PDB file of all heavy atoms in Angstrom:
ATOM      1  N   VAL A  96     -42.607 -13.150  -4.087  1.00  0.00           N
ATOM      2  CA  VAL A  96     -41.933 -14.166  -3.264  1.00  0.00           C
ATOM      3  C   VAL A  96     -40.541 -13.653  -2.913  1.00  0.00           C
ATOM      4  O   VAL A  96     -39.806 -13.180  -3.792  1.00  0.00           O
ATOM      5  CB  VAL A  96     -41.841 -15.513  -4.014  1.00  0.00           C
ATOM      6  CG1 VAL A  96     -40.804 -16.430  -3.379  1.00  0.00           C
ATOM      7  CG2 VAL A  96     -43.204 -16.190  -4.046  1.00  0.00           C
ATOM      8  N   ILE A 139     -44.308 -21.416  -5.414  1.00  0.00           N
ATOM      9  CA  ILE A 139     -44.482 -20.064  -5.975  1.00  0.00           C
ATOM     10  C   ILE A 139     -45.860 -19.968  -6.630  1.00  0.00           C
ATOM     11  O   ILE A 139     -46.102 -20.616  -7.652  1.00  0.00           O
ATOM     12  CB  ILE A 139     -43.389 -19.749  -7.016  1.00  0.00           C
ATOM     13  CG1 ILE A 139     -41.985 -19.898  -6.398  1.00  0.00           C
ATOM     14  CG2 ILE A 139     -43.573 -18.336  -7.578  1.00  0.00           C
ATOM     15  CD1 ILE A 139     -40.850 -19.719  -7.388  1.00  0.00           C
ATOM     16  N   PRO A 140     -46.758 -19.165  -6.063  1.00  0.00           N
ATOM     17  CA  PRO A 140     -48.076 -18.995  -6.692  1.00  0.00           C
ATOM     18  C   PRO A 140     -47.938 -18.480  -8.121  1.00  0.00           C
ATOM     19  O   PRO A 140     -47.022 -17.712  -8.440  1.00  0.00           O
ATOM     20  CB  PRO A 140     -48.762 -17.955  -5.792  1.00  0.00           C
ATOM     21  CG  PRO A 140     -48.070 -18.067  -4.474  1.00  0.00           C
ATOM     22  CD  PRO A 140     -46.651 -18.412  -4.796  1.00  0.00           C
ATOM     23  N   GLU A 141     -48.852 -18.904  -8.979  1.00  0.00           N
ATOM     24  CA  GLU A 141     -48.780 -18.563 -10.402  1.00  0.00           C
ATOM     25  C   GLU A 141     -48.818 -17.051 -10.641  1.00  0.00           C
ATOM     26  O   GLU A 141     -48.189 -16.535 -11.559  1.00  0.00           O
ATOM     27  CB  GLU A 141     -49.932 -19.240 -11.162  1.00  0.00           C
ATOM     28  CG  GLU A 141     -49.733 -19.272 -12.668  1.00  0.00           C
ATOM     29  CD  GLU A 141     -48.413 -19.894 -13.105  1.00  0.00           C
ATOM     30  OE1 GLU A 141     -48.024 -20.947 -12.564  1.00  0.00           O
ATOM     31  OE2 GLU A 141     -47.759 -19.299 -13.984  1.00  0.00           O
ATOM     32  N   ASP A 142     -49.561 -16.330  -9.784  1.00  0.00           N
ATOM     33  CA  ASP A 142     -49.718 -14.889 -10.001  1.00  0.00           C
ATOM     34  C   ASP A 142     -48.648 -14.052  -9.291  1.00  0.00           C
ATOM     35  O   ASP A 142     -48.799 -12.847  -9.123  1.00  0.00           O
ATOM     36  CB  ASP A 142     -51.114 -14.421  -9.578  1.00  0.00           C
ATOM     37  CG  ASP A 142     -51.400 -14.691  -8.105  1.00  0.00           C
ATOM     38  OD1 ASP A 142     -50.633 -15.457  -7.476  1.00  0.00           O
ATOM     39  OD2 ASP A 142     -52.394 -14.140  -7.589  1.00  0.00           O
ATOM     40  N   THR A 143     -47.545 -14.708  -8.896  1.00  0.00           N
ATOM     41  CA  THR A 143     -46.421 -13.987  -8.289  1.00  0.00           C
ATOM     42  C   THR A 143     -45.776 -13.061  -9.320  1.00  0.00           C
ATOM     43  O   THR A 143     -45.512 -13.463 -10.455  1.00  0.00           O
ATOM     44  CB  THR A 143     -45.369 -14.988  -7.765  1.00  0.00           C
ATOM     45  OG1 THR A 143     -45.952 -15.753  -6.713  1.00  0.00           O
ATOM     46  CG2 THR A 143     -44.129 -14.283  -7.240  1.00  0.00           C
ATOM     47  N   ASP A 144     -45.525 -11.826  -8.916  1.00  0.00           N
ATOM     48  CA  ASP A 144     -44.936 -10.859  -9.842  1.00  0.00           C
ATOM     49  C   ASP A 144     -43.436 -11.051 -10.016  1.00  0.00           C
ATOM     50  O   ASP A 144     -42.906 -10.834 -11.107  1.00  0.00           O
ATOM     51  CB  ASP A 144     -45.211  -9.434  -9.354  1.00  0.00           C
ATOM     52  CG  ASP A 144     -46.686  -9.074  -9.454  1.00  0.00           C
ATOM     53  OD1 ASP A 144     -47.254  -9.254 -10.544  1.00  0.00           O
ATOM     54  OD2 ASP A 144     -47.262  -8.634  -8.454  1.00  0.00           O
ATOM     55  N   TYR A 145     -42.752 -11.431  -8.954  1.00  0.00           N
ATOM     56  CA  TYR A 145     -41.306 -11.638  -9.048  1.00  0.00           C
ATOM     57  C   TYR A 145     -40.819 -12.424  -7.831  1.00  0.00           C
ATOM     58  O   TYR A 145     -41.502 -12.520  -6.815  1.00  0.00           O
ATOM     59  CB  TYR A 145     -40.547 -10.312  -9.152  1.00  0.00           C
ATOM     60  CG  TYR A 145     -40.726  -9.371  -7.977  1.00  0.00           C
ATOM     61  CD1 TYR A 145     -39.882  -9.422  -6.868  1.00  0.00           C
ATOM     62  CD2 TYR A 145     -41.749  -8.415  -7.970  1.00  0.00           C
ATOM     63  CE1 TYR A 145     -40.053  -8.565  -5.785  1.00  0.00           C
ATOM     64  CE2 TYR A 145     -41.917  -7.550  -6.900  1.00  0.00           C
ATOM     65  CZ  TYR A 145     -41.065  -7.633  -5.810  1.00  0.00           C
ATOM     66  OH  TYR A 145     -41.235  -6.790  -4.740  1.00  0.00           O
ATOM     67  N   VAL A 146     -39.628 -12.977  -7.960  1.00  0.00           N
ATOM     68  CA  VAL A 146     -38.938 -13.662  -6.858  1.00  0.00           C
ATOM     69  C   VAL A 146     -37.698 -12.839  -6.531  1.00  0.00           C
ATOM     70  O   VAL A 146     -36.933 -12.477  -7.432  1.00  0.00           O
ATOM     71  CB  VAL A 146     -38.546 -15.100  -7.244  1.00  0.00           C
ATOM     72  CG1 VAL A 146     -37.754 -15.763  -6.115  1.00  0.00           C
ATOM     73  CG2 VAL A 146     -39.784 -15.921  -7.601  1.00  0.00           C
ATOM     74  N   ASN A 164     -34.791 -21.694  -8.395  1.00  0.00           N
ATOM     75  CA  ASN A 164     -35.677 -22.065  -9.495  1.00  0.00           C
ATOM     76  C   ASN A 164     -36.949 -21.231  -9.343  1.00  0.00           C
ATOM     77  O   ASN A 164     -37.767 -21.484  -8.462  1.00  0.00           O
ATOM     78  CB  ASN A 164     -35.994 -23.557  -9.437  1.00  0.00           C
ATOM     79  CG  ASN A 164     -36.973 -23.991 -10.509  1.00  0.00           C
ATOM     80  OD1 ASN A 164     -37.357 -23.192 -11.372  1.00  0.00           O
ATOM     81  ND2 ASN A 164     -37.397 -25.243 -10.466  1.00  0.00           N
ATOM     82  N   THR A 165     -37.095 -20.215 -10.170  1.00  0.00           N
ATOM     83  CA  THR A 165     -38.237 -19.306 -10.043  1.00  0.00           C
ATOM     84  C   THR A 165     -39.462 -19.800 -10.806  1.00  0.00           C
ATOM     85  O   THR A 165     -40.491 -19.128 -10.815  1.00  0.00           O
ATOM     86  CB  THR A 165     -37.876 -17.898 -10.550  1.00  0.00           C
ATOM     87  OG1 THR A 165     -37.624 -17.960 -11.962  1.00  0.00           O
ATOM     88  CG2 THR A 165     -36.647 -17.351  -9.837  1.00  0.00           C
ATOM     89  N   LYS A 166     -39.332 -20.943 -11.474  1.00  0.00           N
ATOM     90  CA  LYS A 166     -40.440 -21.551 -12.216  1.00  0.00           C
ATOM     91  C   LYS A 166     -41.060 -20.573 -13.218  1.00  0.00           C
ATOM     92  O   LYS A 166     -42.284 -20.446 -13.319  1.00  0.00           O
ATOM     93  CB  LYS A 166     -41.487 -22.100 -11.239  1.00  0.00           C
ATOM     94  CG  LYS A 166     -40.889 -23.181 -10.332  1.00  0.00           C
ATOM     95  CD  LYS A 166     -41.871 -23.773  -9.358  1.00  0.00           C
ATOM     96  CE  LYS A 166     -41.196 -24.883  -8.550  1.00  0.00           C
ATOM     97  NZ  LYS A 166     -42.077 -25.450  -7.514  1.00  0.00           N
ATOM     98  N   GLY A 167     -40.180 -19.874 -13.897  1.00  0.00           N
ATOM     99  CA  GLY A 167     -40.615 -18.975 -14.959  1.00  0.00           C
ATOM    100  C   GLY A 167     -40.930 -17.562 -14.523  1.00  0.00           C
ATOM    101  O   GLY A 167     -41.216 -16.702 -15.358  1.00  0.00           O
ATOM    102  N   HIS A 168     -40.855 -17.290 -13.228  1.00  0.00           N
ATOM    103  CA  HIS A 168     -41.136 -15.947 -12.739  1.00  0.00           C
ATOM    104  C   HIS A 168     -39.871 -15.082 -12.777  1.00  0.00           C
ATOM    105  O   HIS A 168     -38.755 -15.582 -12.765  1.00  0.00           O
ATOM    106  CB  HIS A 168     -41.697 -16.002 -11.311  1.00  0.00           C
ATOM    107  CG  HIS A 168     -43.049 -16.629 -11.227  1.00  0.00           C
ATOM    108  ND1 HIS A 168     -43.226 -17.999 -11.134  1.00  0.00           N
ATOM    109  CD2 HIS A 168     -44.295 -16.086 -11.246  1.00  0.00           C
ATOM    110  CE1 HIS A 168     -44.523 -18.266 -11.092  1.00  0.00           C
ATOM    111  NE2 HIS A 168     -45.197 -17.119 -11.153  1.00  0.00           N
ATOM    112  N   VAL A 169     -40.081 -13.783 -12.801  1.00  0.00           N
ATOM    113  CA  VAL A 169     -38.990 -12.810 -12.858  1.00  0.00           C
ATOM    114  C   VAL A 169     -38.117 -12.914 -11.606  1.00  0.00           C
ATOM    115  O   VAL A 169     -38.633 -12.962 -10.488  1.00  0.00           O
ATOM    116  CB  VAL A 169     -39.562 -11.379 -12.970  1.00  0.00           C
ATOM    117  CG1 VAL A 169     -38.468 -10.336 -12.780  1.00  0.00           C
ATOM    118  CG2 VAL A 169     -40.253 -11.191 -14.322  1.00  0.00           C
ATOM    119  N   LEU A 170     -36.811 -12.942 -11.794  1.00  0.00           N
ATOM    120  CA  LEU A 170     -35.878 -12.948 -10.666  1.00  0.00           C
ATOM    121  C   LEU A 170     -35.296 -11.554 -10.490  1.00  0.00           C
ATOM    122  O   LEU A 170     -34.781 -10.955 -11.434  1.00  0.00           O
ATOM    123  CB  LEU A 170     -34.735 -13.949 -10.909  1.00  0.00           C
ATOM    124  CG  LEU A 170     -33.646 -14.005  -9.820  1.00  0.00           C
ATOM    125  CD1 LEU A 170     -34.222 -14.457  -8.481  1.00  0.00           C
ATOM    126  CD2 LEU A 170     -32.509 -14.938 -10.238  1.00  0.00           C
ATOM    127  N   VAL A 171     -35.390 -11.047  -9.263  1.00  0.00           N
ATOM    128  CA  VAL A 171     -34.801  -9.757  -8.895  1.00  0.00           C
ATOM    129  C   VAL A 171     -33.698 -10.029  -7.879  1.00  0.00           C
ATOM    130  O   VAL A 171     -33.911 -10.747  -6.895  1.00  0.00           O
ATOM    131  CB  VAL A 171     -35.856  -8.809  -8.276  1.00  0.00           C
ATOM    132  CG1 VAL A 171     -35.199  -7.524  -7.793  1.00  0.00           C
ATOM    133  CG2 VAL A 171     -36.959  -8.503  -9.282  1.00  0.00           C
ATOM    134  N   ASP A 187     -30.422 -14.217 -16.908  1.00  0.00           N
ATOM    135  CA  ASP A 187     -31.053 -15.045 -15.869  1.00  0.00           C
ATOM    136  C   ASP A 187     -31.950 -14.212 -14.950  1.00  0.00           C
ATOM    137  O   ASP A 187     -32.717 -14.766 -14.160  1.00  0.00           O
ATOM    138  CB  ASP A 187     -29.995 -15.739 -15.003  1.00  0.00           C
ATOM    139  CG  ASP A 187     -29.236 -16.827 -15.756  1.00  0.00           C
ATOM    140  OD1 ASP A 187     -29.761 -17.311 -16.778  1.00  0.00           O
ATOM    141  OD2 ASP A 187     -28.131 -17.180 -15.305  1.00  0.00           O
ATOM    142  N   GLY A 189     -34.543 -10.657 -14.194  1.00  0.00           N
ATOM    143  CA  GLY A 189     -35.360  -9.574 -14.712  1.00  0.00           C
ATOM    144  C   GLY A 189     -34.741  -8.244 -14.332  1.00  0.00           C
ATOM    145  O   GLY A 189     -34.768  -7.277 -15.091  1.00  0.00           O
ATOM    146  N   ARG A 210     -34.774  -5.325 -17.248  1.00  0.00           N
ATOM    147  CA  ARG A 210     -35.304  -5.712 -18.557  1.00  0.00           C
ATOM    148  C   ARG A 210     -36.401  -4.739 -18.974  1.00  0.00           C
ATOM    149  O   ARG A 210     -37.258  -4.376 -18.166  1.00  0.00           O
ATOM    150  CB  ARG A 210     -35.840  -7.150 -18.498  1.00  0.00           C
ATOM    151  CG  ARG A 210     -35.750  -7.906 -19.809  1.00  0.00           C
ATOM    152  CD  ARG A 210     -36.083  -9.367 -19.625  1.00  0.00           C
ATOM    153  NE  ARG A 210     -37.465  -9.508 -19.140  1.00  0.00           N
ATOM    154  CZ  ARG A 210     -37.858 -10.464 -18.287  1.00  0.00           C
ATOM    155  NH1 ARG A 210     -37.000 -11.341 -17.817  1.00  0.00           N
ATOM    156  NH2 ARG A 210     -39.119 -10.521 -17.907  1.00  0.00           N
TER     157      ARG A 210
END
Side-chain angles (χ1 to χ4, degrees):
V96 163
I139 303 175
E141 196 54 44
D142 60 347
T143 295
D144 292 308
Y145 61 89
V146 176
N164 177 5
T165 66
K166 299 181 177 176
H168 293 85
V169 170
L170 177 63
V171 175
D187 290 339
R210 210 171 62 215

